[in-house]
Amino acid sequence: MTSQKAPEVENDDDFRVHVFSSSSELLENLHEIWSSVEKQPYPAMYSSIFGGITLDPAMMVIPIDDHMVHRGHGVFDTSIVLDGYLYELDVHLDRFLRSASKAKISSPFPLSTLRNIIIQLTAASKCKKGTLRFWLSAGPGNFLLSSAGCPISAFYAVVIEDDFSQCKEGVKVITSNVPMKPPLFATTKNVNYLPNVLSVMEAEEQGAFSAIWVDEEGYIAEGPNVNVAFITQDKELLMPPFDNILHGCTAKRLLELAPKLVDQGLLKGVATKKLTVEEGKAAAEMMFVGSTLPLLPIIIWDDQPIGNGSVGELTMQLSNLLWDDMVTGSDTQRIPVPYV
């Protein structure tokens, strides 16, 4: 959505806030704002609060007293829409409900209904390529800390059109100075993303794409919203263990697919292992792994080249494995969307 300029006020005493006389007047104003957008990026949204799907961006809203808004009491997850298929939806839904359990949020629907809603939402959106993000919230009800007064939890989902493609260019990263989340919050995919946001902003201020978190013991953890992986000089694929960080669905899938390169003699092994910063920077290749990438080469860390400072061949071999899985994977990985 295009940014709206705040009204210019010469004298605060003369400023008067408009009071909308009706919901129709407010909706007309919202439609006017959205009419300036060249292409609507969010073709469809579902809300359990109003009990259905809307294709009107002006109606893609959630209540201000929803505890996800003012207390951060909510969890979310993301799935990819590619060529009319939902990639790894079931894996993401399973993690979604595990996160909800840790956050003490009960779903208003069983898993099968959540899955059905998401598939119908994607079909209604007519989006063939993009992302689908979904949330479980403690729900609206009041502005207290406790959600005990909320009548029911809420489920929201939105389709986001995005013409993403396989990442072939390398990026620069830094070591983040923003403290990483403690294990309970790091392993729960929750909406409390201020550390993640500040970490990325810190990187951007230094001309980097993103950042790497390092734990208190000096071991490499993860990126702000992605896992990180390395190819050692001995051609072994290594990822930090998932005990205290988010167990990424794409990282898990990469660990399942990578042994194919071992069988071909291109890799010597695949493992999760604690790595120090020094070991990571001494790697031959480095990469981010995440749902919307799915793999992004890293060529510079803290102004130090990784390997020879260019995108590695094994990195691209692994990227090809993931991309092929997204495009031609089995019915377990790819769910066809029944577009009308």
Side-chain angles (χ1 to χ4, degrees):
M1 183 175 177
T2 54
S3 60
Q4 299 294 313
K5 290 185 177 180
E8 294 183 7
V9 180
E10 294 183 3
N11 187 334
D12 283 345
D13 292 336
D14 296 331
F15 181 66
R16 294 292 180 269
V17 178
H18 179 71
V19 178
F20 290 97
S21 60
S22 64
S23 57
S24 59
E25 183 193 0
L26 172 58
L27 186 58
E28 181 181 349
N29 186 68
L30 290 172
H31 282 148
E32 183 178 345
I33 293 172
W34 275 103
S35 67
S36 63
V37 178
E38 185 174 339
K39 181 174 173 57
Q40 153 66 324
Y42 318 124
M45 175 194 173
Y46 171 85
S47 169
S48 63
I49 298 301
F50 50 72
I53 295 168
T54 179
L55 308 181
D56 184 349
M59 299 302 295
M60 295 180 186
V61 295
I62 63 176
I64 191 65
D65 65 343
D66 191 305
H67 279 233
M68 185 168 70
V69 175
H70 63 84
R71 297 302 179 195
H73 194 178
V75 298
F76 77 102
D77 222 300
T78 304
S79 187
I80 292 292
V81 185
L82 182 60
D83 296 336
Y85 287 82
L86 283 161
Y87 181 66
E88 292 234 291
L89 174 61
D90 292 329
V91 176
H92 285 273
L93 276 173
D94 286 343
R95 182 177 65 179
F96 181 56
L97 291 181
R98 288 197 302 272
S99 293
S101 178
K102 288 183 180 181
K104 298 185 178 181
I105 300 172
S106 299
S107 172
F109 307 111
L111 172 60
S112 58
T113 303
L114 294 175
R115 186 180 191 269
N116 197 4
I117 290 170
I118 287 172
I119 293 172
Q120 290 186 52
L121 173 67
T122 309
S125 76
K126 301 188 184 305
C127 175
K128 301 291 180 69
K129 192 176 186 182
T131 59
L132 191 142
R133 190 159 298 184
F134 40 97
W135 296 262
L136 266 178
S137 160
N142 54 47
F143 289 94
L144 302 178
L145 274 175
S146 171
S147 60
C150 299
I152 192 170
S153 58
F155 177 63
Y156 308 105
V158 66
V159 178
I160 306 165
E161 282 200 320
D162 185 8
D163 189 22
F164 57 86
S165 58
Q166 188 176 12
C167 301
K168 297 182 179 180
E169 301 293 326
V171 299
K172 171 184 175 181
V173 298
I174 64 166
T175 302
S176 180
N177 290 307
V178 178
M180 63 181 289
K181 297 176 182 177
L184 174 62
F185 301 116
T187 57
T188 304
K189 198 168 178 66
N190 63 87
V191 300
N192 293 283
Y193 255 46
L194 184 58
N196 312 62
V197 170
L198 294 177
S199 182
V200 169
M201 292 180 71
E202 175 190 29
E204 291 174 342
E205 289 165 359
Q206 298 182 41
F209 173 80
S210 192
I212 302 292
W213 268 322
V214 178
D215 68 21
E216 293 179 350
E217 297 179 353
Y219 291 110
I220 298 165
E222 60 183 339
N225 63 341
V226 285
N227 292 105
V228 61
F230 301 86
I231 303 291
T232 69
Q233 297 293 341
D234 294 328
K235 295 187 176 182
E236 186 177 15
L237 172 64
L238 296 179
M239 284 190 201
F242 302 107
D243 301 340
N244 298 321
I245 61 174
L246 189 69
H247 195 158
C249 296
T250 308
K252 176 184 176 183
R253 186 60 180 157
L254 181 62
L255 291 173
E256 293 170 350
L257 294 170
K260 292 181 180 180
L261 298 188
V262 177
D263 295 341
Q264 296 171 24
L266 299 173
L267 280 177
K268 289 190 176 178
V270 177
T272 57
K273 177 185 176 182
K274 287 187 174 182
L275 292 164
T276 64
V277 172
E278 291 73 21
E279 289 172 326
K281 290 182 177 180
E285 302 177 33
M286 180 179 177
M287 67 210 78
F288 277 140
V289 185
S291 297
T292 57
L293 296 174
L295 193 150
L296 178 64
I298 297 171
I299 57 175
I300 298 175
W301 183 3
D302 289 335
D303 294 323
Q304 178 179 325
I306 299 298
N308 61 11
S310 61
V311 177
E313 292 183 8
L314 287 172
T315 295
M316 291 314 302
Q317 292 273 10
L318 291 167
S319 178
N320 290 338
L321 281 179
L322 275 175
W323 195 257
D324 290 345
D325 194 57
M326 291 169 63
V327 174
T328 63
S330 68
D331 292 343
T332 305
Q333 270 69 49
R334 301 168 73 240
I335 299 171
V337 177
Y339 299 99
V340 177

